[in-house]
Amino acid sequence: MGSSPAKPGTALVVGGGISGLLSARELATAGLDVTVLEAGDAWGGCVGSHTVSGLTLDSGAESFATRSDAVARLATELGLGGRIVSPRPGGAWVQLPDGPRELPKTGVLGIPANPWDPEVRRTLGIMGSLRASLDRLLPASVGAGTGVTSVAALVRARMGARVLDRLVSPVVGGVHSADPGLLDVDMVAPGLRTGLRNHGSLAAAVSAQRRPAIGAGATDPGRPAKAGSAVAGLDGGMHTLVDALVADLRSRGVTLLAGTAATAVSRTITGWRVDAAGAPFTGDLLVMAVDGPAAVGLLEAAVPAIAGKQPASGPDVKLVTLVLDQPDLDRRPRGTGILVAPQTPGVEAKALTHATGKWDWLAAAAGPGRHVLRLSYGRVDGASAQPGGPDSDEELFAASLRDASALLGVPVAAGDIRDWDVVRWRGSLPFAAVGHRARAAAIREACTAAGGLAVVGGWMAGNGLAAVVADTREQIGRMTGA
Ligand SMILES: Cc1cc2nc3c(=O)[nH]c(=O)nc-3n(C[C@H](O)[C@H](O)[C@H](O)COP(=O)(O)OP(=O)(O)OC[C@H]3O[C@@H](n4cnc5c(N)ncnc54)[C@H](O)[C@@H]3O)c2cc1C
């Protein structure tokens, strides 16, 4: 009998965001000698941190979806299980052209589980709720077909324009920085159309997705995840997950090279070569864990089947963080924050997070009367054009004061501000245009066929930590045969 081939011994990971770091952990666990190449000087990619007025805050992702236990499980493995926290109750609001409303708590992307829920009915009006409840009567085939569908097309067909304009557009704008008419529903709400097929209506599919995964969020003894609490965070911020992951990788002997941007990828006889920061690196296995345009650009010479298949670059998101003294905010006038409907006149921000109103740990760290607000700007409204709006730091700061005052109903003046900053995420949110899911699947298939290559990250898995963590584990498991 011939002996089985020797297990591959070395692996390269390009990209040190959550997908790259988690890939490195899975590969190291499988016994490989792993090197991670990261272009920037910080680890974690979109799960970053910054310090404003002495407070260490999340500069990108600040929570995770609890519809699966993927992130909670990873946090627990890294010793952070006891630090998983639910946001403060009260939920978020939505700013509509006719004023602010509490955002119904039982939705997926703003799609309500029950159109007659009092909060939903108040937001939609009787006629809007009536139209939305037609969803229960329509055949499941409406919107559940295999053809490609945008979020807007699905919602409009099943529940009508008011659900789209008054609930879904603000939520999708806040999370994905894009118009729901442009986004592939199977990418940004995975499983929803399958749920529609299985349960017969969109509302029932939403209800099924809202049932929290066993264990998710349940590790916060003070505040167990209530039904309707769809996200959780970490005491200290999501960036502490990256710190723990990096420490774990170091303890496993993984080589972590920051400031090392990959510029070219080629095949070797036994595996892969990556040129980065002027030096060649080789590995038996290669994991590409960067954004979509960069991944295709780096791989297309070695995997000709994907040449020219670059996905559109994501929107530029600008976040203004204000740390201020304003005791009127102690009463949390808009709960954990407020999403802005695109048609709202006079407000340029697309969302405001009242971070000290959302997380107890942060309110305690900030102290009495001191608050942290985060306003986000930038939304893709047309197929390619990015809208204008404030751009320089000073313009963004001025807009954030105007918008915070209008959205919170509390005056926020320059004199109240202890410190502020602007964080720019250029193209970091993957832009899941209609048809993206099928194109991503084809790219992944071509890369898998190349052998010893995995492609991971938000542009493949869908935006968000829950999707990225679950998909990365699956892909690396497949690669290592774990
Ligand atoms: C502002 C913002 C807020 C968000 N909020 C949330 C949230 O609250 N909850 C949630 O679940 N999700 C949130 N997300 C989404 C979530 O953060 C992402 O889905 C996830 O972090 C993506 O991880 P990733 O590893 O795929 O990509 P990234 O984090 O983008 O990592 C990719 C890494 O690759 C590096 N890289 C790029 N090119 C090269 C190269 N040539 N060579 C070497 N390295 C390279 C980059 O520097 C980067 O570090 C948010 C995203 C943003 C931008």
Side-chain angles (χ1 to χ4, degrees):
M1 299 295 283
S3 60
S4 56
K7 260 195 133 191
T10 55
L12 290 175
V13 177
V14 179
I18 197 78
S19 67
L21 296 174
L22 179 56
S23 297
R25 184 167 190 264
E26 301 289 297
L27 291 162
T29 308
L32 286 123
D33 186 356
V34 187
T35 301
V36 187
L37 310 173
E38 162 58 42
D41 36 352
W43 296 101
C46 299
V47 192
S49 66
H50 62 158
T51 301
V52 188
S53 190
L55 294 168
T56 304
L57 306 167
D58 287 317
S59 61
E62 49 97 56
S63 62
F64 59 92
T66 51
R67 67 171 181 272
S68 82
D69 69 352
V71 180
R73 204 150 52 84
L74 175 61
T76 303
E77 286 170 19
L78 293 167
L80 299 175
R83 302 184 72 86
I84 298 173
V85 289
S86 296
R88 293 178 69 182
W93 289 57
V94 57
Q95 181 75 37
L96 297 168
D98 46 324
R101 296 268 193 292
E102 280 188 60
L103 192 65
K105 288 174 198 66
T106 54
V108 167
L109 282 182
I111 305 169
N114 173 10
W116 295 106
D117 173 289
E119 283 167 8
V120 177
R121 204 189 51 216
R122 264 196 300 278
T123 307
L124 298 180
I126 295 282
M127 295 311 285
S129 285
L130 256 180
R131 170 59 188 91
S133 51
L134 260 188
D135 165 54
R136 296 262 182 202
L137 307 175
L138 290 169
S141 56
V142 175
T146 48
V148 171
T149 311
S150 71
V151 175
L154 174 68
V155 172
R156 204 182 289 110
R158 302 242 24 132
M159 292 192 168
R162 280 184 77 84
V163 172
L164 179 62
D165 294 342
R166 295 173 72 85
L167 291 172
V168 176
S169 290
V171 174
V172 169
V175 176
H176 295 281
S177 295
D179 182 304
L182 303 173
L183 294 178
D184 190 327
V185 68
D186 295 330
M187 250 354 251
V188 301
L192 200 57
R193 294 205 306 156
T194 309
L196 167 55
R197 277 189 286 273
N198 293 343
H199 300 284
S201 72
L202 188 55
V206 166
S207 279
Q209 282 208 349
R210 291 285 304 194
R211 269 171 235 133
I214 294 163
T219 28
D220 173 16
R223 191 175 288 150
K226 60 182 167 101
S229 144
V231 298
L234 290 175
D235 183 342
M238 281 313 296
H239 59 274
T240 60
L241 184 72
V242 171
D243 299 342
L245 203 38
V246 166
D248 178 83
L249 294 179
R250 292 199 202 284
S251 77
R252 290 170 192 272
V254 170
T255 305
L256 292 163
L257 301 176
T260 311
T263 49
V265 172
S266 52
R267 299 238 44 164
T268 65
I269 296 168
T270 55
W272 297 90
R273 169 180 157 147
V274 175
D275 291 300
F281 295 84
T282 56
D284 301 311
L285 302 180
L286 173 63
V287 177
M288 195 51 73
V290 300
D291 58 278
V296 174
L298 283 167
L299 286 172
E300 61 188 357
V303 187
I306 67 168
K309 298 220 161 90
Q310 256 101 346
S313 171
D316 288 351
V317 178
K318 293 160 270 192
L319 300 177
V320 184
T321 300
L322 306 175
V323 176
L324 70 160
D325 287 328
Q326 174 43 290
D328 286 354
L329 293 179
D330 291 354
R331 63 185 165 87
R332 303 167 67 232
R334 297 291 177 264
T336 57
I338 183 160
L339 298 155
V340 183
Q343 315 82 354
T344 307
V347 177
E348 292 176 287
K350 66 186 174 61
L352 176 154
T353 304
H354 184 176
T356 35
K358 185 167 183 176
W359 305 111
D360 281 333
W361 65 266
L362 187 55
R370 181 155 291 188
H371 288 272
V372 179
L373 303 175
R374 180 164 98 167
L375 294 100
S376 56
Y377 292 84
R379 170 172 4 218
V380 179
D381 284 335
S384 58
Q386 299 244 351
D391 195 39
S392 70
D393 284 7
E394 284 64 33
E395 285 169 345
L396 283 161
F397 177 60
S400 74
L401 297 181
R402 282 194 305 272
D403 290 345
S405 305
L407 291 170
L408 294 165
V410 166
V412 174
D416 303 330
I417 307 297
R418 298 282 70 85
D419 200 2
W420 61 280
D421 85 357
V422 175
V423 175
R424 292 161 200 276
W425 293 103
R426 292 218 160 85
S428 296
L429 278 178
F431 182 47
V434 170
H436 178 79
R437 191 174 183 85
R439 288 193 290 272
I443 291 173
R444 183 167 258 175
E445 202 181 312
C447 291
T448 306
L453 173 64
V455 184
V456 296
W459 72 290
M460 277 283 149
N463 186 28
L465 297 172
V468 170
V469 167
D471 179 73
T472 300
R473 285 203 141 142
E474 191 185 321
Q475 295 304 316
I476 304 304
R478 210 168 271 177
M479 187 186 218
T480 57

